Amino acid sequence: MKIQSTLVRMTPEQAMELAARENRGLLGKLADKVKGAPPEITVQGVQLFYYPLCVGGGVLSFPRAAHLPSRRIVSLAVVDCAFGYAQRMQGRPALKETAAEASQVVKRRLNDAAAREKLASFMRKQGYRKYRAIAEVEFKEFYLVYKPHYVCQCKRGTREFQRVIDAEIGQRDFMLDVKYRELTFEN
């Protein structure tokens, strides 16, 4: 299946190295001195998957009383199509067309209409915080993009768990670490 995705900027080996790294913090280091160091994390496997995001850019208009001109601001936001979380975005992602297997692509829970509504609601809230007025949102662009991630199957002692690494920016995605089991894939 052909999808528009952001760039994959790290290799599976780099993702495995990042997943095996542990930041125990000051209290964790103190506990390690008292109890002894815990077993090391071993990465048993790594797999690439693509996470759906809808990007929307639009103009927010704030109508004003009398003959005053309307205030207008341009906003760019993104909503994840698996769980519906929206956030501001700066700049547009570099995209390329990618051939991905259906088992690598996360199934969308939000269709385009629901994603537009989430983005419009989010943009209205952002505009209200700035101008204390309700904005009218007019989308100038709206498109679906898939963000690449690696899921690493890890093991420490007898405990098995997953760590999700963002393959574009090379950092752990802590939200997907927790929510990965709830994702469904296209099959």
Side-chain angles (χ1 to χ4, degrees):
M1 108 188 259
K2 297 273 187 192
I3 58 172
Q4 285 290 107
S5 75
T6 59
L7 304 176
V8 177
R9 294 192 168 118
M10 71 184 312
T11 63
E13 291 77 23
Q14 291 170 323
M16 290 172 71
E17 180 184 320
L18 187 60
R21 204 177 300 156
E22 185 70 43
N23 183 4
R24 305 264 304 151
L26 184 61
L27 292 176
K29 287 179 183 177
L30 183 63
D32 291 348
K33 295 225 187 253
V34 174
K35 293 182 185 176
E40 284 192 21
I41 296 173
T42 58
V43 179
Q44 298 175 323
V46 63
Q47 182 181 357
L48 180 69
F49 72 95
Y50 294 92
Y51 191 75
L53 303 168
C54 284
V55 178
V59 177
L60 280 70
S61 301
F62 300 90
R64 295 172 71 184
H67 300 289
L68 298 172
S70 296
R71 292 182 179 142
R72 301 180 76 144
I73 59 172
V74 176
S75 180
L76 186 64
V78 63
V79 63
D80 85 34
C81 294
F83 298 109
Y85 299 121
Q87 61 186 4
R88 286 182 47 192
M89 183 174 167
Q90 292 184 349
R92 286 164 180 74
L95 300 177
K96 70 173 187 170
E97 190 168 303
T98 306
E101 296 177 21
S103 61
Q104 291 180 311
V105 179
V106 174
K107 188 181 280 189
R108 292 175 61 185
R109 292 184 188 165
L110 293 179
N111 59 16
D112 285 345
R116 275 182 190 267
E117 184 54 42
K118 285 260 188 196
L119 284 172
S121 173
F122 177 77
M123 289 177 178
R124 277 190 211 100
K125 287 177 186 174
Q126 293 295 313
Y128 185 80
R129 288 182 184 147
K130 186 168 185 166
Y131 289 118
R132 296 289 184 226
I134 305 296
E136 298 171 4
V137 178
E138 178 187 344
F139 283 104
K140 297 293 184 186
E141 62 182 330
F142 181 84
Y143 53 93
L144 174 67
V145 64
Y146 288 88
K147 189 166 177 123
H149 288 78
Y150 287 109
V151 61
C152 300
Q153 304 298 328
C154 301
K155 185 174 183 174
R156 176 188 293 154
T158 59
R159 185 173 161 248
E160 293 185 5
F161 54 94
Q162 291 96 15
R163 290 205 169 152
V164 178
I165 310 295
D166 187 324
E168 182 185 18
I169 60 175
Q171 295 180 351
R172 279 190 52 198
D173 191 325
F174 292 98
M175 193 264 310
L176 282 179
D177 274 354
V178 175
K179 296 277 196 174
Y180 180 77
R181 292 181 192 262
E182 297 176 30
L183 295 177
T184 54
F185 290 85
E186 304 277 347
N187 283 345

